[in-house]
Amino acid sequence: MFAVVGTLWNTFFLGSLLYAVCQIGGPQLSNVNLLANLLFGSIISAVDPVAVLAVFEEIHINELLHILVFGESLLNDAVTVVLYHLFEEYAALDQLSFRDISLGFLSFFVVALGGVFVGVVYGIIGAFTSRFTSHIRVIEPLFVFLYSYMAYLSAELFHLSGIMALIASGVVMRPYVEANISHKSHTTIKYFLKMWSSVSETLIFIFLGVSTVAGPHSWNWTYVISTLIFCLIARVLGVLGLTWFINKFRIVKLTPKDQFIIAYGGLRGAIAFSLGYLLDSKHFPRDMFLTAIITVIFFTVFVQGMTIRPLVELLAVKKKQESKRSINEEIHTQFLDHLLTGIEDICGHYGHHHWKDKLNRFNKTYVKKCLIAGERSTEPQLIAFYHKMEMKQAIELVESGGVGKIPSTVSMQNIQPRPKTIERFIPTLSKVKEEEIRKILRTNLQKTRQRLRSYNRHTLVADPYEDAWNQMLIRRQKLHHIEQRVRWATLEELIINEAEAKNSEERLMYRIRVCV
């Protein structure tokens, strides 16, 4: 909602108001037409993921607000790319037809879904490649970087959404690549990406600052101030309107504090600057657009970005929990998920728990067998890891000379105790081993229920004898009803005959029959 509808609202609201400003702003702005203003609106309305990530990582905001603002900045890339190329091509046309508008509307789905498709393809290739890298661990990080960058370049080559392709490739690769690669490769990828993201952010803002000082500018007070004010108004109105609509369908409502942080966290950055930098100066007032874009970027990044932390503290907005959940909490959370899935099956209500369970089963049954290498051992993962740790502990005990208690899995034949008995060495678990144990416990202690088929009231198998039993019961009820009516009619007839009897003998006979 925020990424698609919100970006469209900002684009057309800004473009139409800026066009009105150009009409009354004097001769310097009168030559800026509606399409140019709509193009500028599409550029300046995109929330930048780099700026949002740089600011929100520092203030440690809660997960809901973080994913709302950061997710919006990632997903609105498809809308921004479509609107940018659309208005750029429309500006070069002499006449705009209905066919051009309809093709432009369809191009949004092509760009967004095409970028996702490219990312999924490269993600599957990367996961499949990591299945065979067990003997050459050194090149595992290289494949992850290579396929991610290839996904981005391939999407940009066909004018698709590069950021959507990156997101899709990362989402697809992570669960399978993480299971295939070694822990050292995982650590290398993690810190290498953190380092390069910091370097890239620094270079982006250095380039932005150099371009601000060295680049040509065309300052127009009316256009620049109007752009800044309209950006803030459009952001606030869009967030308020969309949140009012979203809260009708949400269990956990977005509070006014949350809405303020979402509206205040709409930072602009490198995407808006780069799109403005690539404009053709023959068709658009590029220098004036760049000046307005840089002004909005500086205001949102420096003013809003520097004041959002004190405002979060002042409003007492919920922060992110730094402590990890315990194994007990994770197991109970999974248990509740499985319980809710079973309740949905019984009620016949197919909610997100049901579809999540279906997806997990499909992933486990078919996808993991193709993209994850076979089990390292025939034993279960938990037992294999226990034996591995037991063997390592035994070796450390032998090397240290403490052989008082050697695990049962280690043979005693080749172990010669030293004559001197020293204090037993008790190895301590490193954080890496502790994290690995937590991961294994998390995935093994709570298994999903195994069932052959879903059970709900809509798919119950009908009893073939149920209709026959129902018909027999109805017939018995009808016969019983008829017999009752016959008995009452006979009784009534006997009573009448008794009253009409001529002598005492007949009356006594009828009375006996009535009693019977």
Side-chain angles (χ1 to χ4, degrees):
M1 290 293 290
F2 284 123
V4 179
V5 181
T7 306
L8 290 174
W9 155 258
N10 288 337
T11 298
F12 288 99
F13 181 82
L14 280 169
S16 57
L17 287 182
L18 288 175
Y19 177 68
V21 169
C22 290
Q23 296 301 308
I24 60 175
Q28 189 177 0
L29 298 176
S30 59
N31 59 345
V32 184
N33 57 16
L34 178 61
L35 279 177
N37 282 292
L38 288 175
L39 174 66
F40 178 73
S42 67
I43 293 173
I44 204 64
S45 62
V47 179
D48 187 68
V50 176
V52 170
L53 192 62
V55 171
F56 275 61
E57 283 290 327
E58 292 296 324
I59 62 177
H60 302 290
I61 204 70
N62 65 78
E63 290 85 354
L64 176 63
L65 292 180
H66 193 176
I67 199 61
L68 280 175
V69 182
F70 184 56
E72 175 196 355
S73 65
L74 289 177
L75 298 177
N76 68 9
D77 178 69
V79 185
T80 305
V81 168
V82 170
L83 293 176
Y84 177 79
H85 290 297
L86 202 62
F87 293 134
E88 195 176 29
E89 291 177 4
Y90 285 169
L93 296 176
D94 296 330
Q95 187 176 2
L96 194 62
S97 64
F98 177 76
R99 180 174 176 271
D100 297 326
I101 297 175
S102 58
L103 288 176
F105 176 75
L106 292 176
S107 65
F108 165 73
F109 298 98
V110 174
V111 169
L113 299 179
V116 172
F117 176 75
V118 170
V120 168
V121 169
Y122 276 101
I124 292 174
I125 295 174
F128 188 74
T129 305
S130 67
R131 194 172 186 264
F132 306 101
T133 57
S134 58
H135 302 294
I136 38 175
R137 298 292 189 186
V138 180
I139 65 171
E140 285 175 341
L142 180 62
F143 277 117
V144 174
F145 302 140
L146 174 66
Y147 286 122
S148 302
Y149 193 49
M150 285 295 293
Y152 178 80
L153 290 181
S154 300
E156 290 293 332
L157 181 65
F158 296 101
H159 289 287
L160 302 175
S161 176
I163 293 181
M164 294 291 288
L166 272 178
I167 296 169
S169 64
V171 167
V172 172
M173 268 199 288
R174 171 159 186 174
Y176 310 112
V177 171
E178 200 174 38
N180 289 328
I181 64 177
S182 64
H183 185 76
K184 290 182 179 179
S185 299
H186 181 268
T187 306
T188 303
I189 294 169
K190 179 181 177 181
Y191 288 103
F192 188 81
L193 286 179
K194 279 184 175 293
M195 180 196 70
W196 271 111
S197 66
S198 301
V199 172
S200 301
E201 290 171 10
T202 306
L203 291 177
I204 285 169
F205 285 103
I206 287 176
F207 181 68
L208 187 62
V210 171
S211 301
T212 304
V213 177
H217 298 289
S218 176
W219 184 268
N220 187 292
W221 278 100
T222 305
Y223 199 82
V224 172
I225 300 301
S226 300
T227 300
L228 183 59
I229 294 173
F230 291 156
C231 276
L232 298 176
I233 294 174
R235 179 70 181 175
V236 171
L237 292 179
V239 169
L240 291 178
L242 290 176
T243 308
W244 174 82
F245 179 74
I246 290 169
N247 277 342
K248 292 181 177 294
F249 307 97
R250 286 183 61 87
I251 298 175
V252 181
K253 310 294 183 183
L254 293 174
T255 63
K257 293 180 182 179
D258 297 336
Q259 298 175 37
F260 175 78
I261 296 299
I262 294 171
Y264 204 76
L267 310 178
R268 275 66 169 181
I271 290 181
F273 176 76
S274 59
L275 290 176
Y277 197 82
L278 294 174
L279 283 176
D280 187 5
S281 57
K282 295 180 181 178
H283 297 93
F284 306 102
R286 176 175 171 270
D287 295 340
M288 186 177 69
F289 282 178
L290 268 180
T291 304
I293 289 170
I294 291 173
T295 305
V296 173
I297 291 173
F298 277 15
F299 181 85
T300 56
V301 170
F302 287 101
V303 178
Q304 294 179 210
M306 291 174 66
T307 56
I308 192 170
R309 185 173 191 138
L311 288 173
V312 167
E313 300 287 347
L314 181 65
L315 296 174
V317 179
K318 184 181 177 182
K319 295 291 192 69
K320 182 172 64 175
Q321 295 181 355
E322 298 294 338
S323 60
K324 292 182 179 180
R325 291 192 303 178
S326 63
I327 294 292
N328 187 23
E329 290 175 341
E330 292 183 1
I331 290 174
H332 279 81
T333 302
Q334 292 185 15
F335 168 73
L336 289 175
D337 287 341
H338 299 315
L339 182 63
L340 289 172
T341 306
I343 292 172
E344 287 180 356
D345 287 346
I346 294 172
C347 297
H349 171 71
Y350 293 156
H352 66 276
H353 291 94
H354 172 83
W355 295 113
K356 178 183 175 183
D357 183 67
K358 291 286 186 186
L359 184 62
N360 285 335
R361 291 190 175 281
F362 176 79
N363 182 35
K364 184 178 180 181
T365 307
Y366 302 105
V367 182
K368 280 189 174 181
K369 292 182 179 179
C370 300
L371 300 183
I372 296 181
E375 292 291 334
R376 311 297 184 193
S377 172
T378 55
E379 299 173 320
Q381 188 182 9
L382 190 62
I383 299 175
F385 185 75
Y386 169 74
H387 285 170
K388 176 182 174 183
M389 287 196 58
E390 198 177 33
M391 182 67 72
K392 184 177 179 181
Q393 183 181 1
I395 294 172
E396 290 176 350
L397 285 172
V398 172
E399 290 176 351
S400 63
V403 293
K405 292 183 180 179
I406 297 179
S408 58
T409 55
V410 181
S411 175
M412 297 284 293
Q413 295 176 0
N414 299 323
I415 298 176
Q416 297 294 333
R418 296 182 182 180
K420 287 186 179 182
T421 58
I422 60 175
E423 186 180 356
R424 181 186 174 190
F425 173 73
I426 301 177
T428 57
L429 285 177
S430 63
K431 290 186 177 180
V432 176
K433 290 295 180 185
E434 184 181 350
E435 187 63 30
E436 194 170 352
I437 292 173
R438 288 173 62 91
K439 182 179 177 182
I440 291 176
L441 289 175
R442 189 185 304 120
T443 55
N444 287 272
L445 285 185
Q446 177 63 36
K447 291 291 185 181
T448 57
R449 71 200 190 288
Q450 299 297 328
R451 63 170 188 239
L452 296 177
R453 56 193 307 277
S454 298
Y455 171 81
N456 61 67
R457 59 189 175 89
H458 299 291
T459 58
L460 288 176
V461 179
D463 187 358
Y465 301 103
E466 185 177 1
D467 293 337
W469 282 107
N470 288 336
Q471 293 296 331
M472 187 182 297
L473 182 61
I474 292 171
R475 284 199 298 269
R476 286 184 177 179
Q477 290 177 351
K478 286 183 178 179
L479 289 173
H480 181 68
H481 185 62
I482 292 171
E483 288 177 359
Q484 288 289 104
R485 291 179 61 183
V486 170
R487 287 176 182 175
W488 282 108
T490 306
L491 184 60
E492 184 180 1
E493 184 180 357
L494 290 173
I495 293 173
I496 293 172
N497 290 336
E498 181 187 355
E500 294 177 353
K502 295 179 180 181
N503 51 38
S504 59
E505 291 181 2
E506 290 181 0
R507 194 177 294 112
L508 180 60
M509 182 184 65
Y510 282 123
R511 186 169 295 176
I512 291 172
R513 292 179 66 183
V514 167
C515 292
V516 171

